Amino acid sequence: MEWTGVRYADGPTVEVDGRISASPERVWELVSDIGLMPALSGELQSVAWLDGASGPAPGARFTGRSRHASLGEWETTSYVVACAAPREFAWAVGDPERPSALWRFSLAAQDDGGTLLTQWMRMGPGRSGLSYAIERMPDKEQKIVFVRLREFERSMTATVAAIKGLAEGTSTVTEVRA
């Protein structure tokens, strides 16, 4: 990722993709399983569906507990804003109208029977933990945003690689967690 000088209010985004030698249906099983996600993330610690939901559906809610060395620990509520098997799964963190972040997995079938998986996220426009860091050091906003975007890019690259390994059967959840 190259320096962009972007600010939080600009709604900065990160996108990572990877080709997977598995059907979109198989990849969908993995990306739409929120219970799997903490095993693929160094930051996300746990998730749980709310309101009796047991799987993804438009409007379904789930909580996520996260931890970061610089930002501490926090809990969020996310809302599923797109759920079209086996093509798209997206959720808004916090208020769906003004989320602190919007996350999306997009799946595209390939001619060889595989899948192009894209993970994308946008910061803001709602407030997040990063907002507090920016308020404490407004002169460093662009650097704070850039560092966080790079962290997301590294994490998302690892997530897509882990999903690839799981979908292709070359790794297990236990190996991914290690």
Side-chain angles (χ1 to χ4, degrees):
M1 173 174 289
E2 293 183 26
W3 173 262
T4 61
V6 70
R7 296 182 179 280
Y8 190 83
D10 296 330
T13 63
V14 177
E15 182 174 294
V16 172
D17 61 32
R19 292 185 52 85
I20 300 176
S21 296
S23 70
E25 292 77 14
R26 172 63 183 136
V27 177
W28 171 262
E29 291 172 13
L30 299 168
V31 301
S32 64
D33 179 2
I34 65 163
L36 174 64
M37 293 304 135
L40 309 183
S41 172
E43 191 168 300
L44 182 62
Q45 302 299 301
S46 66
V47 294
W49 288 109
L50 297 172
D51 310 320
S54 60
R61 298 180 330 131
F62 61 92
T63 59
R65 288 182 178 80
S66 299
R67 181 178 357 178
H68 185 280
S70 298
L71 301 172
E73 295 185 22
W74 66 96
E75 180 177 302
T76 59
T77 299
S78 293
Y79 295 78
V80 175
V81 294
C83 185
R87 295 183 321 272
E88 181 183 31
F89 179 53
W91 62 97
V93 180
D95 179 356
E97 300 300 318
R98 262 187 83 69
S100 60
L102 184 62
W103 292 84
R104 178 177 21 283
F105 283 110
S106 300
L107 298 78
Q110 302 297 286
D111 291 338
D112 62 3
T115 303
L116 177 63
L117 174 63
T118 303
Q119 186 177 17
W120 175 92
M121 74 81 56
R122 181 193 71 215
M123 289 183 185
R127 293 177 57 77
S128 72
L130 211 57
S131 302
Y132 300 105
I134 291 167
E135 286 171 359
R136 286 192 310 273
M137 299 175 282
D139 56 319
K140 293 186 169 45
E141 177 179 4
Q142 292 169 308
K143 183 175 182 181
I144 291 168
V145 169
F146 179 70
V147 167
R148 190 64 169 142
L149 289 172
R150 284 188 20 203
E151 288 176 344
F152 283 140
E153 183 181 47
R154 281 190 300 275
S155 177
M156 292 162 63
T157 299
T159 296
V160 169
I163 291 168
K164 175 182 174 66
L166 293 170
E168 293 177 354
T170 59
S171 63
T172 66
V173 173
T174 304
E175 292 168 334
V176 168
R177 286 185 181 166

